[in-house]
Amino acid sequence: MKKYIIKIILYIIAAFFCLPILFVVVGSFMSENELLANLSPILSGNDGYVQWQLLPIQPSLQSYIKLLFDSPEYFNTFWNSVIMTIGTVTGQMLIGIPASWSFAQYDFKGKNLLLFVYIVLMILPFQVLMLSEYIMLKNLNLLDTFFSIILPGMFSTFPVFIMYNFFSQLPKSLIESARLDGAGEFKILIHIGIPCSMSGIFAAVILQFIEYWNIIEQPMIFIQKKAYWPMSLAIPNIKTENIGLALAASVLMMLPSILIFIFGKKYLEQGIAATGLKGE
């Protein structure tokens, strides 16, 4: 009985946290007149309370049609998000896999100190590093370019931390056997390290994809040209009279993150489990 009560409570809490998503999805299918009527206290400053239904009274695809067929700038912001996200995550894997493999498999002077620095950098918020990153990007003439987001993101320490836990769990005997058979270090990484730790790599990719797909602070600081804005920065700047357009764009923006989370849930669970076991 106690187990069922706990489940019911958890379902209620989960439903409560899903209300904002439901609000956005339902609103995206409302007609313009219905949206204006429901949100008039906010949009026009009138007295009263916002009204909202669980289902639209006048269902309409007007917002999606306007977004997909009459708003070419939407596709520009969409591809900007794709370029920034894919470029950053790819760079993180190219740098993070060798770095985490080195931490996990090799002993060298200053290793523990360097790993400690990595962990400290991982927990520092963006605001702490914002000024130094801005000065560096300005001196490199990379402001208002995709590289102002991709370059700093490539050196994120969080993927290294995730993959390090997986690489460090590989049996030492397996690595030594490969070396005795004449395999080089690069070959061991490619044929043993990466295949045996794909769960950790996928977990890092999924988490970083979701983070950089929804990134907003870095573009807000480093990118002033609207031609380079990602969706996460463009949607909040849609004017209030186009509230339906903003809701439809929000729904389409959520889809990639939701889909990659659903298909990668297994890898995320394995990644969390690995970091937890390592901590013990």
Side-chain angles (χ1 to χ4, degrees):
M1 184 66 182
K2 182 179 179 181
K3 182 175 69 172
Y4 291 108
I5 294 176
I6 294 175
K7 282 187 176 181
I8 292 173
I9 294 174
L10 292 176
Y11 283 137
I12 294 174
I13 294 174
F16 177 78
F17 282 105
C18 287
L19 282 178
I21 298 177
L22 180 64
F23 176 92
V24 173
V25 173
V26 171
S28 68
F29 289 101
M30 289 183 179
S31 64
E32 185 176 348
N33 291 334
E34 187 175 359
L35 277 172
L36 292 176
N38 289 336
L39 300 176
S40 60
I42 295 176
L43 300 179
S44 59
N46 298 330
D47 294 333
Y49 296 95
V50 170
Q51 299 178 4
W52 209 257
Q53 297 84 25
L54 290 178
L55 293 174
I57 298 175
Q58 302 172 349
S60 172
L61 294 175
Q62 178 182 0
S63 298
Y64 288 97
I65 294 173
K66 184 177 180 181
L67 178 69
L68 296 175
F69 296 100
D70 298 331
S71 305
E73 64 274 9
Y74 162 75
F75 293 97
N76 182 56
T77 59
F78 174 83
W79 286 113
N80 288 347
S81 293
V82 170
I83 293 171
M84 291 179 186
T85 304
I86 300 299
T88 302
V89 174
T90 301
Q92 288 176 344
M93 294 303 106
L94 292 175
I95 294 173
I97 290 176
S100 55
W101 176 259
S102 300
F103 279 128
Q105 297 298 326
Y106 303 127
D107 292 322
F108 51 87
K109 189 175 181 180
K111 170 184 171 180
N112 293 332
L113 177 61
L114 187 58
L115 184 59
F116 174 75
V117 172
Y118 256 73
I119 295 175
V120 170
L121 290 173
M122 181 181 69
I123 63 178
L124 288 178
F126 167 70
Q127 291 80 0
V128 175
L129 304 174
M130 178 177 64
L131 180 59
S132 59
E133 288 185 8
Y134 183 88
I135 294 173
M136 177 194 70
L137 293 170
K138 183 177 182 180
N139 291 334
L140 293 174
N141 294 320
L142 293 178
L143 293 176
D144 289 326
T145 67
F146 293 128
F147 286 104
S148 64
I149 307 300
I150 295 174
L151 185 61
M154 287 172 58
F155 296 94
S156 174
T157 57
F158 183 70
V160 176
F161 175 74
I162 292 291
M163 292 183 289
Y164 163 77
N165 287 281
F166 278 83
F167 285 141
S168 62
Q169 292 179 21
L170 294 178
K172 298 293 183 182
S173 58
L174 179 63
I175 307 299
E176 291 300 326
S177 297
R179 288 172 180 155
L180 291 174
D181 289 339
E185 298 300 319
F186 181 75
K187 191 174 182 179
I188 293 174
L189 171 61
I190 297 298
H191 293 283
I192 297 178
I194 293 178
C196 293
S197 303
M198 286 304 295
S199 296
I201 295 173
F202 278 133
V205 168
I206 292 167
L207 289 171
Q208 292 304 101
F209 178 91
I210 294 174
E211 177 180 352
Y212 281 88
W213 183 258
N214 299 291
I215 194 172
I216 190 168
E217 289 182 316
Q218 288 87 334
M220 188 182 298
I221 302 298
F222 301 147
I223 299 178
Q224 299 301 317
K225 294 181 180 179
K226 292 186 177 180
Y228 293 98
W229 277 8
M231 292 178 63
S232 56
L233 190 58
I235 291 176
N237 285 275
I238 296 177
K239 296 180 180 179
T240 53
E241 57 264 26
N242 293 323
I243 186 67
L245 194 69
L247 292 173
S250 299
V251 171
L252 294 180
M253 184 178 175
M254 285 190 295
L255 286 179
S257 296
I258 293 174
L259 291 175
I260 197 172
F261 175 80
I262 292 173
F263 289 110
K265 182 181 177 182
K266 176 180 67 176
Y267 301 109
L268 286 176
E269 291 174 349
Q270 293 175 355
I272 295 171
T275 54
L277 290 173
K278 187 66 181 177
E280 294 175 1

